[in-house]
Amino acid sequence: MAGMSKDAFLHELLGRMSVEEMAGQLNLLTGAMDATGMKHSDDLEAKIRAGHCGAVLNVYTPAATRALQELALASPLGIPLIFGYDVIHGHRTIYPIPLGLSCSWNLDLIGRCARMAAAESAADGLHWVYSPMVDISQDPRWGRVAEGAGEDPWLGAQIAVAMVRGYQGNDLADPTSVLACVKHFALYGAPMGGRDYHTVDMSRREMEDTYFPPYRAAIDAGARTVMTAFNDIDGIPASANRWLLTELLRGQWGFQGWIVTDYTAVTEMKNHGTAATDADAARQSLEAGVDMDMVSEAFLSELPALVKSGAVREEQLDAAVLRVLETKWDLGLFRDPLARCNHEPVIHSTAENRSLAREAARESMVLLKNEGEILPLSKHQNIALIGPLADSRRDMLGCWIAAGDESLAASPLDGFREVATVVHAQGCGISEANEDLLADAIRAATQADVVVLVLGENWQMNGEAASRTDIRLPQCQRELAKHILQTGKPCVLVTMSGRPLELTWENSQFPAILHAWALGTEGGHALAEVIFGDAAPVGKLTMGFPRSVGQLPMTYREKPTGRPFNATEKYSSKYLDAPNDALYPFGHGLTYAAFDYGPVTASCTEMKPGEPITVSAEITNRTGHPATETLQLYVRDLVASVTRPLKELRGFQRITLDAGESKVVSFQLTDADLAFPGPDYQPLTEPGDFVAMVGPSSASVGCVRFTRTAING
Ligand code: BGC
């Protein structure tokens, strides 16, 4: 290797490989430290020894990865392995679930969290994380909304970029960098009925408008790997969809990295009914543009014969193998294959990492309601902390916790106890009523000055394979809430979940509701800070909370119809039994302050091509203390050659104002901000009338109109 260029080295190596060894490089097997599918990899060690495995998932720690890496190095060609893992929201130190963290609207913070996860993973022997999940979703019945950044493609794209940069850093060979894996390509967030793994049927326009932007942004930011989705697209499973993987992703978007399938997605094509045999499935998948087969082992078992018979072109196999080998080179694996596993286990959850996790937790909470300013609570009173999640460390971590350690996590009770006098009562199970627990809880509430109820989903109720048709709080928890409210004690509701919930009843009963997702290792401490006012909530929803599950799927980015909503006109677009809008819309989130918004103004009424326009609004902090607000900018194209949403996010700014301070906040709108996929799906900016809107949420905006002229001058 000494002195050889990357190209020469890789081609020389390729020239020495048998077809079986080539298929081996495309074979991703699972170890036993975790599992996310039905099939497991048998004979992992024997396959590594024979050179029939190119990468391994679900094995971490320096010792465990070293043991396998040494086997790979002793295989005939000695090609090192890549180790991958589902590091979704932290590796050892867990920060809020991605949907929660997205509510911080803090790209710098999100990037720092990804960097921390990368460093912890790399120190644990890993090279590759299966994140970011950038699937847009408008349907909280789908349990995997927990892993994404919500409903908005523009914000989703910014978050995707921050995460890719955080994981990959500037150089993959940096010992704290890992490969990012953008998933799930594509459209996985739109399964019919919100049921996981279900069919996706979507127009090309909706793909381009809503679902593609975050994947595209992640690719443009340099993400090295992409994972296919389980679903089909226009009748062809994503893992065998040549249009998607080769024409669009590689061809139009210029993706240079490698594509891995999701877990057993190759052989699942037999279940989709588009392949009769493993050989069919492997051929379709490789020909579509897939490079690596996760756990199916169909590439390993079928590709050699397919190549020998001429059914698969050898160049196709060469190209896939070269992509994988090139990544191994870039990771420095050929130079120093044991670099990430040649040390003793390191202490991961350092004070610094925990402090970042706490900052992230603090910023992810969303204050949904605070009537009569009941929050923040005074620490100097008797507090009853009640509910099945009030003392659960595991549920504070949430779904997909990689190597996160529950014993290091802080529950709400852990956090409250450090700062206040608290009586705790469980009240009920997550889904089971219990009379004794209920009686204890009523007693605790009666004796307290104020009650904090912590209700919601446990960690198994969201994430993969956790779709729900009823997204209310479980019945027993609503019963508990009723009994506690009947005590007449002031009562604050803290909700935890991995998805937007239907909180219509709770909204009508509780003066204050704080949504706390699953906040991670430091969740309990951060929650106490916000409840007692040591920190103010700053989060804004990135996915609306519906009034009723019957409204789903829903988004604030809805398009105009031919019969717009009109409360008094029967033949207009509406429900007979519910309003159209969300209970808590996209962008909503209160803080411990109130603001006044002045009128929205534009720097001119005519915007010329190539010249940005400035949109401004004055905001005043009406309270007697400093406060932080995130202002949002939305636009609407009033007449275009294709239908455009009534509102689309195009900017946001977080500002902090002193007591009584006013500030003019300005946004620049450029041609690119007004562009949309035209009739041929290519980006287009048209002349005509537009509305720019500024406000504290998608449902509360002031607006100004302007015209974009056809020509300059
Ligand atoms: C999930 C992926 C995950 C993979 C590996 C699959 O079931 O859909 O998101 O990365 O398992 O664990």
Side-chain angles (χ1 to χ4, degrees), residues 395-627:
D395 294 309
M396 190 51 97
L397 295 181
C399 58
W400 281 117
I401 58 161
D405 182 350
E406 155 181 359
S407 70
L408 298 177
S411 70
L413 183 61
D414 294 326
F416 278 40
R417 271 204 179 130
E418 283 184 17
V419 292
T421 313
V422 192
V423 176
H424 166 243
Q426 190 185 329
C428 62
I430 284 291
S431 312
E432 318 77 38
N434 178 308
E435 298 214 335
D436 295 338
L437 294 179
L438 178 63
D440 282 351
I442 295 171
R443 202 171 313 118
T446 314
Q447 287 163 8
D449 301 319
V450 60
V451 180
V452 178
L453 253 183
V454 189
L455 306 180
E457 296 184 323
N458 68 6
W459 68 275
Q460 285 142 315
M461 289 167 77
N462 52 72
E464 186 171 353
S467 295
R468 296 176 64 200
T469 60
D470 181 351
I471 57 170
R472 290 176 298 174
L473 296 176
Q475 171 73 22
C476 65
Q477 297 192 35
R478 278 180 285 136
E479 282 302 318
L480 169 65
K482 273 183 208 154
H483 282 98
I484 300 301
L485 286 165
Q486 275 162 12
T487 64
K489 291 294 163 114
C491 188
V492 169
L493 176 62
V494 172
T495 41
M496 287 174 57
S497 70
R499 52 159 59 82
L501 297 169
E502 181 189 320
L503 295 176
T504 302
W505 176 80
E506 291 75 7
N507 181 60
S508 71
Q509 301 294 317
F510 286 89
I513 306 179
L514 177 71
H515 194 68
W517 307 108
L519 293 171
T521 308
E522 284 292 317
H525 296 131
L527 181 66
E529 283 185 67
V530 168
I531 289 284
F532 297 110
D534 293 325
V538 290
K540 297 275 187 180
L541 294 179
T542 54
M543 196 168 185
F545 280 41
R547 293 173 190 277
S548 144
V549 78
Q551 295 174 299
L552 301 176
M554 77 182 301
T555 171
Y556 84 94
R557 285 178 74 256
E558 62 182 22
K559 291 191 171 178
T561 68
R563 296 186 173 193
F565 172 82
N566 177 342
T568 58
E569 170 56 62
K570 174 170 169 61
Y571 296 99
S572 74
S573 181
K574 60 176 183 289
Y575 297 104
L576 291 178
D577 54 357
N580 285 359
D581 61 349
L583 176 66
Y584 302 122
F586 175 85
H588 172 73
L590 307 171
T591 187
Y592 298 149
F595 303 95
D596 285 334
Y597 282 80
V600 178
T601 58
S603 53
C604 52
T605 50
E606 289 204 342
M607 178 186 183
K608 301 191 175 70
E611 290 182 16
I613 185 172
T614 305
V615 176
S616 311
E618 189 177 40
I619 168 171
T620 305
N621 175 6
R622 276 204 273 121
T623 38
H625 54 84

Side-chain angles (χ1 to χ4, degrees), residues 36 57-58 86 130 144 147 183-184 188 227 230 262-263 294 400 464:
T36 51
L57 80 149
N58 295 332
D86 286 288
Y130 301 135
R144 300 198 78 170
E147 296 173 61
K183 67 189 193 184
H184 304 83
Y188 184 40
M227 186 187 293
F230 282 127
D262 203 344
Y263 206 101
M294 188 192 292
W400 281 117
E464 186 171 353

Side-chain angles (χ1 to χ4, degrees), residues 38 197 230 263-274 281 296:
M38 291 173 262
Y197 315 128
F230 282 127
Y263 206 101
T264 57
V266 177
T267 43
E268 285 176 23
M269 273 175 309
K270 292 185 294 182
N271 295 342
H272 279 284
T274 51
S296 283

